[in-house]
Structures are given as C-alpha cells and as structure tokens.
Amino acid sequence: MRILNNMPQWLGLILLSIFSNAARAGEGAVSAEYKWITFAVFGSIIALTMAITYWAAKRTHTAVEFYAANRSISGLQNGWAIAGDYLSAASFLGIAGLISLYGYDGFMYSVGFLMAYITVLLVIAEPCRNIGKYTLGDILAFRNDPKKAKTIAAITTITVSIFYLTAQMVGGGILVKTLIGIDYEVSVIAVGLLMLAYVVFGGMVATTWVQIVKAVLLVAASVVLVVLVWAPYGFSLPGFLNGVVHYEGVQQQVAKLLGSAATNMTPEELGQRFLEPGLFLKSPIDQISLGLALVLGTAGLPHILMRFFTVPNAKEARKSVMWAMVIIGGFYLLTLFLGLGAAINVGPANIAALDKGGNMAAPILAQYLGGGAHSMLGNFFLAFVAAVAFATIVAVVAGLVLASASAMAHDIYVGVIRGDHATPDEQVKAARISTLIVGIIAIVIGIAAKGQNVAHLVGMAFAVAASSNLPAVLLTLHWKRCNTGGVVLGMLVGAITAIALVMVSPNMTYPKDVVKAANKVLQGEPAVEAKPAVAAQPGEGFVCELFAACKKSEPAKPATLARPATPGAVEKLATLSTQLASITDAAEIAKTRNEIDKLEKAIKKARDDLKQYEGKTSIVGLEKPFFLLKNPGLISIPLGFLMVVMGSLLYRDPHAAEMWDEIYVRQNTGIHAH
C-alpha cells in the first residue's frame, strides 16, 4: 500500500529521468548548449504537477471524490479549470500559427471557440448541474430508460474522447519532438504516463488543479509575450496593425497566397489584404458548417460537461462558465497579437519553413523576443513556452481520459452491468482500472498513428459531439415529448452521419494527390501558357456545392501570365552539388550545404510518399473527396436534431413523459440536486 501511495513520486522521477536523457541527446529548436535550461523548466513543471497529484491522491477515496472532486470546486476555480481543459495545444499553437500565416481568417477560429461558450452558458451549464451526477449518461438516464441511455451515451463519449485523444497524443508527440528534440515515441509515452498518474491517483481533484496551473501558466506566458510584442508600438492598436500592413514579409506572404490575383496590387494593398477575410477560409458554406460545429460541438463535449458536476450548486456552475468565458475570451484576444507579432518579427516564410501548419509561430516568437536562438534568455523563453505547451497537452488528455473512464466504469459497469448496486470501493476500483485501460489504449494508438494525418480527428470529435450529444441533451432537458427512442435514434444517426461524411471529405489523405505533389517535387513543373480571364460559372444546385455528384459553381478567375518551366528537386540538387565544388567562401559553402540538406530531405520524403501511396486510394477507396466540405456540421447537426424529434414521436415511452414535470422543476430550481 505504501508503494501505491508513493507511486506519483516514483512516476515523477521516471519522467524526470526520461526528459533528462532526452534533453541531452535530442536535436530540437533549442541549441545543444542550452538543453539544460529545457530540462530545468520541464522538470520544474513536472515536479509541480506531481506534487499536486500526491496531495490530491490523499484526498481521493470515494466515487464522488474521484469523478467530481467531492463537488468542492468553486466557480472561479472551475472557470480556470474549464479554460485549462478547453485551451488545447490546437488553440494555443494552432490558432497563433494560422494568424501568423493567414491573418484575419486565423482569428475567426478564436471567435468560433469563444462564441461556443455562450451556448454552454445559456442552455447547458445550469440544467446539467441540477440534473446530472457524474457523466453525460446520468443526464440522459434521468427521464429515459437508464440502461439504453447510459449505453448509447457511453459509446458516443468514448468515440468523441478517442478521436480527440488521438489527435492530442499525435500532436503532442510531434510538437515536443520539434521543440526539444526527444523521440516521438518517448514523448507519447511521457504524455501517457503523466496523464495516467494524474487521473489514476488524483482523479478529478488532481486533474482540476493541474488544469488550473496549466491555464495560469499559459495565460501568464501569453501576456508577457504580448507586452513585448506590443510595447514597441506604444500599445497603440492602429500603430501595431499599421506595422503589420507595411511589413515586407507579410506582403510577400499575401502575394504568394493570392498568386496571379496579386499581380496588379501595390505593396500596401497586399499588406492590407492580410487583415481581410478570404486567404484561408475561401468557401462561405464551409465557414458556416465549421462555425456550427465549433459553436454547438463544445456544448456536447463530454469532458467539458463533466466539469459542471465538480461545483456545489447551479449558481457556482453559472459563475464557472462566466469566468471561463472571460479567461478564454481574453486568451483568444491575445492570440491575435501572438500571431501577428510572429508574422512581423519572425516572418511567415520562416514560420512555414519550420512547420507548414504554422504551429511553431508562438514558440519561435518567444525565442526571438528573448534575444534569438543563440541567447540564454531566448532559449529560456522557448523552453518555457515548450513546457507550457507540453503541460497543455497533458492536462487536456487527462480530462479526456477521465471522461472516457467515467463512461466505461460509471455508465457501463456500475449503471448497466451492476444495475447501480456497486459499493463505493468497487466504483473507485472500476474507475481506476478503466483509466488504466483507456490510458494504455491512448498510448498505443498515439504511437501507432505516428506519421498519420490526424487533423480530421478534431473536426470529427466536434462534429460527433454537436450532431449526437447536443441534440439528445438539449431536447431531453427542454422538450416534453422527448424520450428514449428519440435519444437513441438521434445519437446513433448523428454520430454515424458525422463520421461517414468526414471519411469522404477533403480532410482525409487522397493518395492520388500525394503522388501528384511528390512528382512535382521531384520533376518540377512544365511551362504554362498565358490564359485569359474566365467568368464565374453557375452550379447545378445547392446539393452540388456539398457533394461531388454534379457540377458545382466556379468563381471568376483573372487572366494569368505565362510561366516558364521550373526544375525539380533532383535537378536542383545536381546543380548545387556541382556549384559546391567551385565555391571558396565559407559562408557561401555553409549556405549551399544547408540548401542541399533541404533538397535531400524533400527528395527522400517525395520518394517515400511515392513508395507508400502509388497505386492506392483513400481509406474508403476514393480517389478524390465525395463530400466537398471540410466539416460535416451543416448536414449532420440538423439531421441529429431531426432524428431525436422523429424517434420521440414514433416511440412510446410513458416513463419519459411522467418524469417531465420533475425534470422541469429540478433543472430550473436545483431541488434535490446531488
């Protein structure tokens, strides 16, 4: 027993050892002479979180302590914890990166994520706190058939969590490898072990406080960076934006994105275009679909819903959402300065060279503001941001694992198999075993998915949550006729539709496109003749804008100039290798060798892609997307609501009707709430 009680400390030492060895051995954005800074910062944050876990483990003995932190979290604390749960690496690194590469369109993601909390505040937070106990299944089982409701809720909870979890694990492995140079597998295992330690030993108490610490560190680091970025402009917003418009690197990025359309634009017009929409999100229908999934999906994410059961009453639930909105909203405003600051200080071209998605924008900005790659302060800033990003990933993963384990242990084992007759000890034991199972699965999937494109999994998680969970929860709480038949039909159809549409959408990898891109890298492009302007072409109907079954509309295209043939990487490499033999200047030799290294890597990747994808089709056997939107929300969300309504009207469930008066009074007053 003593060994078990001291397990968090042992795990902490193991993880410190992993980072100690890895930080000395790896190749990352931090130069070798400053690896010790990385190790010190990572070690400090890991030690802090393991101390929290050790403290929390002594206070976690019962089911309500494990699942809901004994409902002892205040509204302010829960607001910070929600922010810690919600602000994933995608929010911190991804959005800052999108803004640094695409300007205004990247900021639209911030707005979408923030607006999502208005939905949560208005229709979900207070009723869920008054009705539920620990999980999404508890909310649905209150007036519907408990076994059927908990079973379908557990399936969708685990589905959403695994999608989200896999994306976080893979993203964490790639980012930490890029930032500090440790192996991908070691990074995934470290994330998995830390997350397991938090949840298995500390349950919701440890998870909550780790999320609070991570959110505070994240906001503090972002505020410091924004002050440093904004100060040279006297904290003037017009002055700062004017600097963005007149920065040559931004103008070149816009010219690159617009192509021939930028031919007649002045440098100032190009810079101004960076602050206008249309550089990244080019389809209005796709934007509406993405917006629906972001705004409504948040209210259906199981790890977010669970957080409302940790506060003592509905008043604290409302306060927690208000605080979460303030913190999350403030943070997303900071991402505007982080992204634009990276664009004008580091440059979009340099950011894209390190990571095509721009995910390294914020860390490299931190290194620049601290004095650059060869300064101690610059590497300290980079190490700190890297450690915060790592803590961000671990905290979000811990919340997701807790949600999955709760569905498996509380809904399926205790609710369905044991008929709600398990003892408190059995419930806690089942929860910890389920956590171990989910954690091991997450590590295995994370390692197995190395090198895979998992970006679609986040969109799939939001789409399933918005199309399956939200319609069932919302109509159970607010529609008198809703019953078990509607909940089961709506959740199944909503989830299956969302997953099926994503599987045939542009988010998936299409080998034909990969092979075409690889051949372009190797062989270059042939000469292109000048083309006249083309007028806009009408489509054959709205359905054609969604599916590749008929002709969709085409926008007007400006006239393009003739382009000469461009050589491929193989030809460029041969030319540079010949030139290298005749160069005598040391700086020129180093520059040429650097270009040769890049070309060799590009050639290797292109040849690997050809070997892997030539002659193949997508995972469902397609050569190109059948569903044309990147997010299925426009179809799957209304369909989920429709199926709940139809199923409820066609299915007779007297119990659901009898419970309506009680659920109505309880959700509005909180009487008899747990």
Side-chain angles (χ1 to χ4, degrees):
M1 193 66 184
R2 176 178 289 181
I3 293 175
L4 189 63
N5 287 337
N6 291 330
M7 192 62 78
Q9 295 160 301
W10 286 106
L11 275 171
L13 292 174
I14 292 169
L15 286 161
L16 287 173
S17 174
I18 288 173
F19 277 105
S20 173
N21 294 326
R24 283 194 292 268
E27 293 289 336
V30 180
S31 56
E33 63 180 310
Y34 295 114
K35 286 286 183 186
W36 64 272
I37 297 178
T38 306
F39 169 66
V41 174
F42 267 72
S44 301
I45 291 182
I46 290 174
L48 174 63
T49 56
M50 293 312 291
I52 291 171
T53 305
Y54 181 72
W55 166 79
K58 293 179 177 298
R59 290 159 177 76
T60 304
H61 306 289
T62 65
V64 69
E65 288 168 346
F66 187 89
Y67 290 126
N70 205 27
R71 309 199 196 286
S72 61
I73 307 298
S74 70
L76 175 60
Q77 292 167 344
N78 201 39
W80 277 99
I82 290 172
D85 218 357
Y86 193 59
L87 297 174
S88 64
S91 302
F92 174 43
L93 301 175
I95 290 180
L98 284 176
I99 294 172
S100 73
L101 297 180
Y102 302 101
Y104 177 91
D105 281 357
F107 188 57
M108 282 298 96
Y109 275 80
S110 293
V111 176
F113 280 118
L114 174 60
M115 290 297 291
Y117 261 90
I118 295 177
T119 315
V120 178
L121 173 66
L122 293 178
V123 298
I124 292 294
E126 184 173 342
C128 285
R129 173 61 191 86
N130 289 339
I131 299 298
K133 190 176 178 185
Y134 302 137
T135 65
L136 170 67
D138 288 329
I139 301 168
L140 298 178
F142 189 84
R143 63 178 292 209
N144 300 307
D145 182 301
K147 288 192 175 181
K148 291 176 183 172
K150 287 193 172 186
T151 301
I152 189 69
I155 291 171
T156 60
T157 295
I158 293 171
T159 302
V160 170
S161 298
I162 291 293
F163 287 156
Y164 212 153
L165 199 58
T166 304
Q168 293 290 324
M169 296 294 280
V170 174
I174 294 170
L175 287 172
V176 176
K177 179 186 176 186
T178 308
L179 286 165
I180 59 173
I182 66 175
D183 290 341
Y184 173 86
E185 289 81 1
V186 175
S187 176
V188 170
I189 292 171
V191 170
L193 287 177
L194 265 180
M195 162 267 293
L196 276 175
Y198 300 157
V199 181
V200 170
F201 299 105
M204 184 58 92
V205 179
T207 303
T208 298
W209 282 100
V210 167
Q211 288 168 343
I212 291 172
V213 168
K214 164 251 169 162
V216 170
L217 289 174
L218 183 60
V219 172
S222 300
V223 168
V224 170
L225 294 181
V226 168
V227 168
L228 293 175
V229 163
W230 203 3
Y233 300 91
F235 298 103
S236 162
L237 182 59
F240 177 69
L241 297 178
N242 199 40
V244 174
V245 170
H246 290 91
Y247 181 67
E248 188 179 354
V250 167
Q251 295 165 356
Q252 290 172 351
Q253 171 72 358
V254 175
K256 179 184 169 188
L257 292 171
L258 292 178
S260 57
T263 306
N264 298 321
M265 295 175 70
T266 65
E268 190 168 333
E269 287 173 335
L270 288 171
Q272 183 62 38
R273 187 71 178 80
F274 197 66
L275 303 179
E276 296 171 359
L279 292 178
F280 181 65
L281 300 170
K282 297 178 181 176
S283 165
I285 298 175
D286 221 349
Q287 289 183 44
I288 293 170
S289 193
L290 173 66
L292 278 174
L294 289 180
V295 171
L296 301 179
T298 303
L301 290 176
H303 66 297
I304 298 294
L305 290 176
M306 274 191 78
R307 292 236 50 93
F308 299 121
F309 305 133
T310 64
V311 293
N313 50 51
K315 181 183 175 185
E316 294 300 314
R318 285 196 301 273
K319 280 175 65 178
S320 65
V321 178
M322 291 299 295
W323 276 111
M325 285 180 63
V326 171
I327 298 164
I328 293 170
F331 173 80
Y332 281 132
L333 281 178
L334 298 181
T335 61
L336 178 67
F337 291 91
L338 293 177
L340 294 179
I344 58 177
N345 287 298
V346 182
N350 294 328
I351 295 167
L354 205 55
D355 179 85
K356 285 184 179 176
N359 292 310
M360 295 299 292
I364 298 303
L365 173 66
Q367 190 181 49
Y368 171 84
L369 293 173
H374 302 293
S375 72
M376 182 180 291
L377 187 60
N379 281 285
F380 172 76
F381 274 19
L382 176 60
F384 187 75
V385 170
V388 170
F390 182 76
T392 295
I393 292 162
V394 175
V396 173
V397 168
L400 290 164
V401 168
L402 189 57
S404 298
S406 303
M408 196 182 290
H410 178 69
D411 291 342
I412 297 296
Y413 176 73
V414 177
V416 177
I417 298 176
R418 297 294 300 273
D420 285 325
H421 295 301
T423 65
D425 284 347
E426 287 175 334
Q427 291 187 41
V428 174
K429 189 176 178 182
R432 285 180 164 148
I433 292 173
S434 299
T435 302
L436 277 173
I437 294 171
V438 175
I440 292 169
I441 290 172
I443 292 172
V444 171
I445 291 177
I447 292 175
K450 180 183 179 183
Q452 299 296 311
N453 177 6
V454 295
H456 60 282
L457 292 179
V458 175
M460 202 183 278
F462 270 85
V464 172
S467 312
S468 177
N469 295 350
L470 182 64
V473 171
L474 195 64
L475 294 180
T476 291
L477 293 173
H478 299 288
W479 186 39
K480 187 176 181 179
R481 293 288 299 274
C482 183
N483 59 36
T484 307
V487 166
V488 172
L489 183 64
M491 293 184 83
L492 275 178
V493 172
I496 292 171
T497 304
I499 294 171
L501 289 176
V502 170
M503 297 295 282
V504 297
S505 73
N507 295 300
M508 305 304 290
T509 299
Y510 292 90
K512 195 175 176 181
D513 294 339
V514 178
V515 169
K516 185 179 176 183
N519 283 325
K520 183 178 170 183
V521 169
L522 294 173
Q523 300 165 13
E525 290 183 274
V528 178
E529 294 180 356
K531 294 180 181 176
V534 179
Q537 302 292 318
E540 295 179 358
F542 181 69
V543 174
C544 306
E545 306 298 320
L546 306 179
F547 297 97
C550 43
K551 184 184 174 185
K552 66 174 291 190
S553 61
E554 295 288 341
K557 295 177 182 174
T560 56
L561 301 173
R563 283 204 315 267
T566 55
V570 175
E571 187 180 338
K572 288 180 184 174
L573 180 62
T575 305
L576 283 177
S577 298
T578 305
Q579 290 175 354
L580 184 63
S582 59
I583 298 174
T584 55
D585 182 67
E588 195 65 24
I589 290 174
K591 182 182 174 184
T592 306
R593 281 184 174 155
N594 187 36
E595 291 178 11
I596 288 176
D597 287 344
K598 288 181 182 176
L599 285 171
E600 286 176 341
K601 286 179 183 175
I603 291 171
K604 182 179 182 305
K605 183 178 184 307
R607 286 176 175 162
D608 288 345
D609 286 344
L610 285 177
K611 189 176 177 183
Q612 183 178 355
Y613 293 108
E614 206 158 33
K616 294 183 179 177
T617 56
S618 76
I619 197 170
V620 292
L622 295 177
E623 290 188 348
K624 60 181 182 179
F626 176 70
F627 181 63
L628 302 178
L629 305 185
K630 291 180 180 175
N631 195 287
L634 192 65
I635 292 179
S636 60
I637 295 172
L639 192 60
F641 276 98
L642 180 64
M643 288 300 106
V644 175
V645 172
M646 287 185 63
S648 298
L649 294 177
L650 296 174
Y651 184 81
R652 284 185 56 79
D653 187 0
H655 175 71
E658 290 169 6
M659 292 296 293
W660 169 250
D661 290 338
E662 184 174 345
I663 199 172
Y664 182 80
V665 172
R666 185 157 155 177
Q667 68 168 301
N668 286 290
T669 64
I671 295 173
H672 300 310
H674 292 285

